[in-house]
Amino acid sequence: MCLALYGFGARQLADTGVYEYNDVLFRADTRRAHADLTGPRDKVGRRSSTHPAFVLLHHPLGRGLTNGLAAAGLARPAARKVASATLTAAAGAASAVLALYVFRASGVRPLLAWAFAAVLAVSTAHWVFASVPETFIFSALGLAALTFVALQRPASEWRFQLAAVYSIAVLVSNAVPVAVFALFRHARVRPKDWRDARRSLVRAAGSTALALALVAALGAVQQLVYPDAATARPTQLTRESRWVEWGRWLETPAKTAKILVRHFAVDSVLAPAAERSWNDGRPMASIEEAGRAAYRTRAVAFALWFAVLGVALAGATRVLRRPAVLLALALVAFNAAFHSLFGNDRILYACNWTLFVLLVVACAFDAAGARARRLERPAAALLLAFLLAQLHGNARLFGEIRTAVAGLSAYPPASSRANPSDAQRPDERRGAPPGAE
């Protein structure tokens, strides 16, 4: 099912220009990721400061698939698009499957675990970013694997390291979840005294440090294999500070809080209608500042989602002490705090938190049904009804994205600068050029 969904999304967006332009789909670096997955070896890896070993781990697969499809007679540009779509779809499907096991390991009953895994698969975050070339669906895969391994009892260190290294290698900010999971693994039992607590902290710190060291080693190998790749150094990461906007909480606190609540509680699961915005003189699809009208087009689906949240709220007090729920809440809090300052279109980063939001909702929803047996079947019917409405609503999103970026090829081509993805890009949305719609 997942591969069919993501294949549908890829076909809908294949001819829109998202492979040729950055910053036209929620400010995603689609052109850069497409090159990193399938481009020539000497033309990839130019923005490795935040993705330390992404190219090393994925480019051989993407390039090999591209060459195989081209040898089979497919034109190389089409072969590259199919290869990109195949890799992102596979990552999205694998993350949904792992989410199923995460829900089961967290105590969610089988039927509801399947249903919430399907909700994740059809979510805005996963459906969109498993359909276009970007790094975030691979981050979702790493975080799902990390969560699944951390919830195992006992979990061997080498399995944890595999998931941790992959997570950080594709997105450097995943070092924070890795540290949280490492502490969770080594401090699972209440410490007897301060020495026991210190021992747990030291082990967690050592596990995190080992993962970082292994990622650094992979980055060094990547730099040797790919000439344009650069190792991730603190000085490189400081360039990302241009996306940090400290004045948000001082100048527009109500607006900032509203956007964060929307993106974490609603938009990452079920998106409002996409709107045409403008960035660097080109049309862009965005939902960052969607108004009420954008939500009315999915009124039934949103009503059902709020009903699901209402049922989950009824069971919330019964699961707040579960380790998996506390862990998920901690990671949701981290992402909310981080992205209250970092980034523009926050839906771009939603793959990093959607699993954890749904993990909390799934556990609480399950607990509410178990508490009142007579409501168990109506609650399951409600969830199924929402899943169908979500499927319809998010499928419409792809048509709205096409409309939002229509005519993109008539605008100036992608930058000819040596490194368009890493060059200074405008932080503000620019108005539409004269004569544009």
Side-chain angles (χ1 to χ4, degrees):
M1 183 191 78
C2 292
L3 294 177
L5 287 175
Y6 305 148
F8 164 82
R11 288 193 300 273
Q12 288 290 302
L13 301 179
D15 61 349
T16 59
V18 296
Y19 288 85
E20 290 78 30
Y21 295 85
N22 288 324
D23 302 320
V24 296
L25 177 65
F26 311 139
R27 293 183 183 267
D29 280 349
T30 45
R31 177 173 177 252
R32 184 267 305 166
H34 181 49
D36 283 353
L37 288 170
T38 63
R41 186 176 65 86
D42 59 346
K43 301 294 183 182
V44 302
R46 292 170 173 173
R47 191 167 186 250
S48 51
S49 57
T50 51
H51 313 286
F54 178 83
V55 174
L56 181 68
L57 297 176
H58 301 97
H59 181 262
L61 297 174
R63 192 64 176 175
L65 183 56
T66 298
N67 291 337
L69 291 169
L74 196 63
R76 185 160 288 273
R80 289 185 60 193
K81 289 183 178 181
V82 172
S84 284
T86 300
L87 289 182
T88 54
S95 63
V97 171
L98 283 170
L100 170 63
Y101 290 105
V102 167
F103 294 145
R104 290 291 296 124
S106 303
V108 180
R109 286 170 292 176
L111 182 61
L112 290 181
W114 275 94
F116 275 101
V119 169
L120 178 74
V122 183
S123 68
T124 311
H126 281 237
W127 197 349
V128 170
F129 292 108
S131 302
V132 297
E134 244 295 0
T135 52
F136 291 104
I137 194 63
F138 298 94
S139 173
L141 173 58
L143 291 172
L146 195 65
T147 308
F148 174 67
V149 171
L151 291 176
Q152 303 306 301
R153 296 187 181 185
S156 58
E157 181 65 23
W158 73 267
R159 287 190 177 91
F160 178 78
Q161 285 297 324
L162 280 178
V165 167
Y166 181 83
S167 297
I168 301 173
V170 298
L171 186 63
V172 72
S173 62
N174 283 342
V176 174
V178 165
V180 172
F181 279 112
L183 183 61
F184 170 77
R185 292 179 64 242
H186 292 287
R188 179 169 287 176
V189 180
R190 182 175 294 180
K192 299 177 181 178
D193 51 34
W194 68 270
R195 292 186 182 87
D196 197 19
R198 185 179 65 178
R199 190 178 301 112
S200 296
L201 287 172
V202 169
R203 288 175 178 172
S207 184
T208 305
L210 176 59
L212 290 170
L214 291 173
V215 171
L218 286 177
V221 173
Q222 177 175 276
Q223 190 176 20
L224 293 174
V225 177
Y226 298 94
D228 282 351
T231 54
R233 299 187 181 94
T235 53
Q236 289 182 322
L237 293 176
T238 56
R239 288 185 292 180
E240 299 298 314
S241 64
R242 66 182 181 272
W243 302 112
V244 176
E245 298 182 18
W246 297 99
R248 283 174 174 161
W249 287 112
L250 297 176
E251 298 168 8
T252 56
K255 177 181 176 182
T256 299
K258 177 182 176 182
I259 289 174
L260 288 173
V261 170
R262 276 182 38 222
H263 279 70
F264 279 79
V266 181
D267 293 0
S268 62
V269 175
L270 176 66
E275 301 173 339
R276 171 173 282 206
S277 184
W278 296 91
N279 181 60
D280 204 15
R282 290 192 292 266
M284 177 183 77
S286 177
I287 62 171
E288 179 75 357
E289 298 179 13
R292 293 181 181 178
Y295 288 87
R296 292 193 191 107
T297 59
R298 284 103 153 122
V300 173
F302 283 116
L304 290 170
W305 175 241
F306 285 121
V308 170
L309 293 179
V311 173
L313 186 62
T317 56
R318 304 190 66 183
V319 300
L320 286 178
R321 293 187 178 181
R322 286 190 192 179
V325 172
L326 291 174
L327 188 66
L329 288 172
L331 294 171
V332 169
F334 159 70
N335 278 287
F338 182 57
H339 291 293
S340 70
L341 302 172
F342 181 85
N344 288 300
D345 278 57
R346 258 60 68 94
I347 195 64
L348 174 62
Y349 314 100
C351 285
N352 292 332
W353 67 71
T354 306
L355 169 64
F356 303 118
V357 169
L358 287 177
L359 177 56
V360 175
V361 174
C363 289
F365 190 94
D366 183 53
R371 184 177 183 181
R373 291 290 182 178
R374 69 181 185 279
L375 299 178
E376 189 172 356
R377 289 186 178 180
L382 169 64
L383 186 58
L384 177 60
F386 167 69
L387 178 60
L388 294 175
Q390 178 198 28
L391 180 66
H392 177 262
N394 282 342
R396 292 179 61 184
L397 179 66
F398 288 92
E400 293 158 355
I401 291 171
R402 288 180 62 87
T403 301
V405 300
L408 183 62
S409 59
Y411 292 87
S415 174
S416 59
R417 290 172 296 196
N419 191 359
S421 298
D422 205 26
Q424 289 286 344
R425 295 182 293 182
D427 287 333
E428 74 284 350
R429 287 192 178 90
R430 297 184 182 179
E437 296 178 354

